[in-house]
Amino acid sequence: MTAERIAKSTIHPSIPHHLQDYDAERRAFSWDAARSALDGLPGGGLNIAHEAIDRHVARGAGAKTALRWLDKQGQPHDFSYAWLRELTNRFANVLGTLGLGKGDGVFALTGRIPFLYIAALGTLKNGSVFCPMFSAFGPEPIHQRMSIGRAKALVTTASLYQRKVAGLRTSLPDLKHVLIADLPCEAEAPEGTLNLQTLMDHASDQFTTVATVDEDLALLHFTSGTTGRPKGAMHVHGAVTAHLATARYALDLHPEDVFWCTADPGWVTGTSYGIIAPLTIGATLLVDEQEFDAERWYRTLQNEGVTVWYTAPTAIRMMMKLGADRVRQYRYPGLRFMASVGEPLNSEAVVWSNGAFGMPFHDNWWQTETGGIMIANFAACDVKPGSMGRPLPGIEAAIANLTEDGRLVFVERPDEQGELVLKAGWPSMFRGYLNEEARYRKCFVGDWYLTGDLARRDEEGYYWFVGRADDVIKTSGHLIGPFEVEDVLMEHPAVAEAGVIGKPDPVALEIVKAFVALKPGFTANEALRLELLAHARKRLGAVVAPKEIDFLPGLPKTRSGKIMRRLLKARELGLPEGDISTLEENK
Ligand code: ATP
Ligand code: MG
């Protein structure tokens, strides 16, 4: 829905925005030039960890705080760039001693503890491939990922190991080493595992980063599983060129920033922007071990002097539910930029944040497959609430439709919807789905990558998310994106969350059905249902408005916080639930 536009931010003009003139920056941009903003390895080649840590130390910035980690009690622990260099060197040496080398899979199942970050970067230094997993996964998704990814080593904690991994060992023949990260040095590790701290203490703090090149595999990331079984997207060291460039443009990150990305590295956002991008820029990365808690988050923003904040719509909706007054109990003098990713950010949320924080959340769009931000609302440009923004410099996007004979027909007219496609060739693009070559090939027509998302572009070049191709509703000859309907339901003061599906119907093919969770203080009853139906009809018209609304205490979501519409649909129709390995309540 088009709400009023929010004029470009004028806060802290003393820090010049990386992107000042959108069109000029796009014209001037080249990926080759972006690549040359990196140092490369001293002997040639490119390695993410070198760009993220060692080059800052070599330039004399070793004393600067690279990582500020808040433990569960909220106590800060600082790791300088120099110390992180030493720790990741030790970790890389540990891997080497265990016989792990280039291309070998190192997985992590730890929660957000310092060793997760040390393991990620140490693995990359060693030329091995890193795959982070959500610590809340149950044994089945852990097994699935480690066997597809042929994990040779796993970094985990004693309790996670005993509860979730020990029973899987015999069915994971490739898994040679389990490193327990939370034991004191020299403490005995569970049978069949090693004490990581002991190994670290005995390892050398000197390491020569393995000479990887741009196309060498670096990371394996599983998709969120919102639309089906998660896919393993493979990423290369060259991706760091895009991490750096996109973080500058879309997050306006500078070396002087204290950057908080609330995503867990189990989700690609938590690695591309929760580890690699801020360190490559030379900023201070804030990590909170604790899960979402509005009060703690506001306190953290205030006390840690966060300047740039990157979070997701679910968290924003939870904050909205609690109200703007809670936000205003704290002060955020340093905060200058807020961004959101992962799901459509309702226009309501953008407007709300502008009131509550004095600046809007800037929505941006990307996928596990794209490895980095592709479309964004920029700090120096007007924000259109409800729009994902415009393609980054270096990214060519278009709206197109795939014909039955496999051709792409581009939509030129503004506001017409179709599939969002991207011209292949940016450095963080995935290089394949693990063990799913055919599925990977199906994503491309010529040199265009098909995202599987439907969108439209307005006459100013801003993109508007319509829905995932799988979620689009076909009703009485119309195509309706669920987001449009959800967005209008969210406008109603009683609605905290909304999920919309197409329910099969003999006459209309499908009818629009909405599931709604209410804010505190509102009661689910017939009167409210009728009120919501009327509100939607008034705003959307009879064709697009939902015909049915059900109330739910909360909507099913992935661990990365996305509403699982396919699950709402399966449950509504009494069909099998399919792969629910990433479902949040599935502990
Ligand atoms: P799967 O591919 O396994 O179904 P997923 O697509 O949710 O899961 P991710 O790669 O984590 O896995 O998410 C990318 C998707 O999230 C995008 O394709 C899009 O549908 C949605 N998304 C991300 N950011 C936005 C945004 N700003 N607005 C709307 N949708 C978004
Ligand atoms: Mg996807």
Side-chain angles (χ1 to χ4, degrees):
M1 280 296 105
T2 320
E4 76 275 25
R5 123 201 327 251
I6 297 174
K8 67 178 185 183
S9 155
T10 49
I11 300 167
H12 285 253
S14 56
I15 299 184
H17 297 306
H18 282 299
L19 186 150
Q20 309 226 11
D21 177 334
Y22 178 74
D23 295 316
E25 199 69 40
R26 275 184 76 80
R27 275 195 304 277
F29 184 87
S30 82
W31 283 114
D32 284 343
R35 170 71 170 77
S36 62
L38 298 166
D39 284 9
L41 288 168
L46 182 73
N47 185 288
I48 293 175
H50 178 80
E51 302 303 324
I53 312 171
D54 292 34
R55 70 170 179 147
H56 303 301
V57 181
R59 285 179 182 178
K64 183 171 179 184
T65 302
L67 168 67
R68 166 164 278 206
W69 174 66
L70 304 181
D71 64 22
K72 287 218 164 106
Q73 288 69 44
Q75 284 306 311
H77 305 259
D78 286 351
F79 297 76
S80 67
Y81 276 94
W83 195 23
L84 205 53
R85 175 176 177 271
E86 183 185 316
L87 292 168
T88 50
N89 282 351
R90 286 179 188 269
F91 187 85
N93 279 319
V94 167
L95 293 184
T97 317
L98 297 174
L100 287 149
K102 205 167 167 181
D104 288 335
V106 177
F107 280 50
L109 178 80
T110 57
R112 289 183 296 279
I113 59 174
F115 259 129
L116 172 59
Y117 299 81
I118 295 161
L121 293 157
T123 298
L124 296 173
K125 276 192 173 176
N126 194 48
S128 306
V129 177
F130 187 70
C131 178
M133 295 184 288
F134 280 108
S135 61
F137 276 157
E140 184 44 42
I142 293 169
H143 181 260
Q144 200 186 36
R145 284 163 178 72
M146 287 209 289
S147 58
I148 304 176
R150 298 188 146 223
K152 287 207 172 156
L154 172 71
V155 178
T156 187
T157 64
S159 123
L160 287 167
Y161 178 73
Q162 300 290 14
R163 283 190 287 130
K164 304 183 179 190
V165 184
L168 303 173
R169 287 298 289 272
T170 50
S171 60
L172 290 169
D174 292 313
L175 182 62
K176 299 279 183 286
H177 308 287
V178 173
L179 309 174
I180 304 294
D182 60 340
L183 296 174
C185 184
E186 307 299 348
E188 203 177 323
E191 200 191 328
T193 70
L194 298 163
N195 180 335
L196 179 54
Q197 193 58 59
T198 309
L199 296 173
M200 291 279 288
D201 285 5
H202 292 160
S204 160
D205 62 6
Q206 296 302 311
F207 184 80
T208 305
T209 299
V210 170
T212 46
V213 296
D214 288 55
E215 282 306 306
D216 279 331
L217 277 190
L219 297 154
L220 175 63
H221 271 297
F222 285 87
T223 61
S224 291
T226 314
T227 55
R229 188 166 49 81
K231 299 147 273 186
M234 300 187 279
H235 291 281
V236 296
H237 279 273
V240 65
T241 300
H243 297 145
L244 176 63
T246 56
R248 282 181 169 161
Y249 285 136
L251 303 174
D252 200 36
L253 261 189
H254 291 72
E256 41 286 75
D257 278 315
V258 176
F259 174 62
W260 188 19
C261 169
T262 61
D264 189 280
W267 178 34
V268 67
T269 305
T271 302
S272 292
Y273 299 98
I275 306 179
I276 300 169
L279 295 180
T280 302
I281 278 173
T284 295
L285 166 65
L286 182 74
V287 170
D288 188 1
E289 187 182 11
Q290 192 67 271
E291 294 305 324
F292 176 80
D293 169 339
E295 215 65 41
R296 176 171 168 129
W297 277 27
Y298 300 145
R299 210 170 41 243
T300 300
L301 286 168
Q302 171 183 280
N303 293 354
E304 302 304 333
V306 173
T307 56
V308 179
W309 187 27
Y310 195 21
T311 188
T314 339
I316 299 168
R317 286 195 295 264
M318 290 202 265
M319 291 187 266
M320 286 171 75
K321 208 166 150 178
L322 297 170
D325 288 350
R326 300 277 282 277
V327 177
R328 296 195 190 103
Q329 281 170 1
Y330 297 84
R331 293 276 166 270
Y332 319 101
L335 191 61
R336 62 181 180 82
F337 189 73
M338 315 198 299
S340 162
V341 71
E343 274 207 302
L345 183 65
N346 310 88
S347 49
E348 202 58 28
V350 179
V351 174
W352 176 84
S353 59
N354 199 36
F357 289 95
M359 71 191 88
F361 276 106
H362 292 68
D363 189 20
N364 58 54
W365 177 97
W366 57 293
Q367 306 177 306
T368 308
E369 290 86 342
T370 70
I373 302 169
M374 299 283 107
I375 296 179
N377 285 285
F378 304 98
C381 302
D382 289 359
V383 172
K384 292 192 185 186
S387 163
M388 334 192 264
R390 289 179 287 175
L392 266 70
I395 302 300
E396 201 178 326
I399 303 290
N401 288 304
L402 190 61
T403 61
E404 298 225 321
D405 59 349
R407 284 175 308 114
L408 272 188
V409 178
F410 289 91
V411 171
E412 302 297 344
R413 277 226 306 271
D415 297 324
E416 216 171 276
Q417 73 187 42
E419 183 160 356
L420 173 63
V421 298
L422 303 168
K423 184 90 164 276
W426 68 93
S428 64
M429 193 174 88
F430 71 138
R431 298 300 196 267
Y433 287 131
L434 201 59
N435 299 342
E436 295 189 271
E437 180 58 27
R439 195 168 188 181
Y440 174 65
R441 276 201 309 270
K442 260 185 79 178
C443 296
F444 296 89
V445 173
D447 53 2
W448 287 90
Y449 164 66
L450 277 52
T451 65
D453 283 347
L454 299 183
R456 57 192 171 78
R457 186 187 48 222
D458 68 19
E459 72 261 354
E460 287 179 280
Y462 281 70
Y463 282 73
W464 298 76
F465 184 78
V466 170
R468 291 157 182 275
D470 291 9
D471 290 337
V472 161
I473 303 161
K474 298 169 198 76
T475 183
S476 309
H478 297 270
L479 282 182
I480 296 171
F483 175 50
E484 183 184 10
V485 183
E486 290 162 10
D487 204 27
V488 160
L489 289 168
M490 289 284 298
E491 288 171 359
H492 192 281
V495 177
E497 287 180 313
V500 166
I501 62 159
K503 178 177 168 184
D505 179 82
V507 179
L509 193 63
E510 288 185 311
I511 59 158
V512 179
K513 167 145 198 176
F515 297 86
V516 159
L518 297 177
K519 288 189 185 150
F522 291 91
T523 316
N525 58 30
E526 198 49 31
L528 183 56
R529 187 198 313 276
L530 293 175
E531 193 179 313
L532 290 175
L533 286 168
H535 163 75
R537 200 162 315 126
K538 188 162 143 236
R539 295 281 286 111
L540 294 164
V543 175
V544 181
K547 299 273 180 299
E548 293 179 17
I549 295 181
D550 278 5
F551 294 109
L552 292 178
L555 299 179
K557 289 187 213 78
T558 65
R559 294 201 179 285
S560 45
K562 295 155 192 272
I563 295 170
M564 290 172 97
R565 294 177 192 79
R566 70 174 163 98
L567 206 54
L568 288 170
K569 191 160 181 169
R571 287 175 180 173
E572 172 72 20
L573 305 180
L575 296 171
E577 297 196 338
D579 187 310
I580 50 164
S581 59
T582 59
L583 178 65
E584 201 176 27
E585 58 201 47
N586 185 28
K587 293 254 159 70

